[in-house]
Amino acid sequence: MIREFGQVRLEVMVADITTLRVDAIVNAANNSLLGGGGVDGAIHRAAGPELYDECLALRGCATGDAKITKGYQLPARHVIHAVGPVWHGGDYGEDEALGACYRRAIALCGEHGLSSLAFSAISTGVYGFPPERAARIAVGTTINALGSAPTLNHVVFCCFSDEVAGYHERALQSARSR
């Protein structure tokens, strides 16, 4: 599904984020930024050992924040490492922290003049964030933050399953009808 919001094309797809040719992919990272399981491990493996070395020099990242590195052996020029919250039932600021990841990733695109970005479904894997709720936050926050990145013209929500893609598509439909 593709939707236009002003000059920005928003797209939902099911794909391996490590194969996408965009200016930056967003890694669902842990606080150390040094790799882990799921998409984080896949991105580190595909990018090669130089990514680990650059992440080591960054000395971690706080939950709700993001940092940018080169993409190394990935087709993407950059990796934005966003540290999402672990789900603890929704009463511990999880929604706000997840939204902050999306805002910060888009702000980094603006700071670096990037035009295309692919998000993974941050915090929905081992961190346990409910994927339907995460999709609404991802789409809504992204649309609201687009003004901070005037060069950004293409955003992909790269999902790991048809089910998660469906949540993002419904969130885009809902945002479009507002």
Side-chain angles (χ1 to χ4, degrees):
M1 165 187 278
I2 299 174
R3 293 279 187 248
E4 304 283 336
F5 283 84
Q7 302 292 77
V8 183
R9 182 173 45 144
L10 300 182
E11 181 176 1
V12 176
M13 68 171 61
V14 177
D16 176 350
I17 199 167
T18 67
T19 67
L20 300 183
R21 269 189 204 288
V22 292
D23 288 341
I25 60 173
V26 179
N27 179 16
N30 60 43
N31 293 105
S32 76
L33 303 182
L34 300 179
V39 71
D40 189 14
I43 288 170
H44 272 266
R45 284 189 299 278
E50 300 90 352
L51 181 61
Y52 177 89
D53 294 339
E54 186 175 356
C55 286
L56 187 62
L58 292 176
R59 299 182 178 271
C61 185
T63 299
D65 198 3
K67 294 185 178 181
I68 191 168
T69 64
K70 294 177 186 171
Y72 297 101
Q73 295 174 37
L74 292 163
R77 290 185 2 215
H78 299 278
V79 178
I80 296 174
H81 306 268
V83 181
V86 174
W87 181 255
H88 292 292
D91 294 326
Y92 296 92
E94 295 99 317
D95 289 359
E96 294 79 10
L98 184 61
C101 289
Y102 286 88
R103 279 190 299 280
R104 182 68 180 127
I106 291 171
L108 285 167
C109 288
E111 291 169 22
H112 293 269
L114 306 182
S115 62
S116 58
L117 173 69
F119 282 108
S120 58
I122 300 168
S123 285
T124 60
V126 296
Y127 280 17
F129 207 107
E132 185 171 12
R133 184 174 183 147
R136 287 192 307 268
I137 292 166
V139 170
T141 303
T142 296
I143 291 167
N144 290 332
L146 289 174
S148 69
T151 58
L152 193 58
N153 60 36
H154 186 202
V155 176
V156 176
F157 296 100
C158 185
C159 302
F160 54 85
S161 71
D162 290 333
E163 179 184 16
V164 173
Y167 295 142
H168 283 79
E169 288 172 357
R170 285 190 288 284
L172 264 177
Q173 289 279 115
S174 176
R176 190 66 176 159
S177 63
R178 282 189 249 151

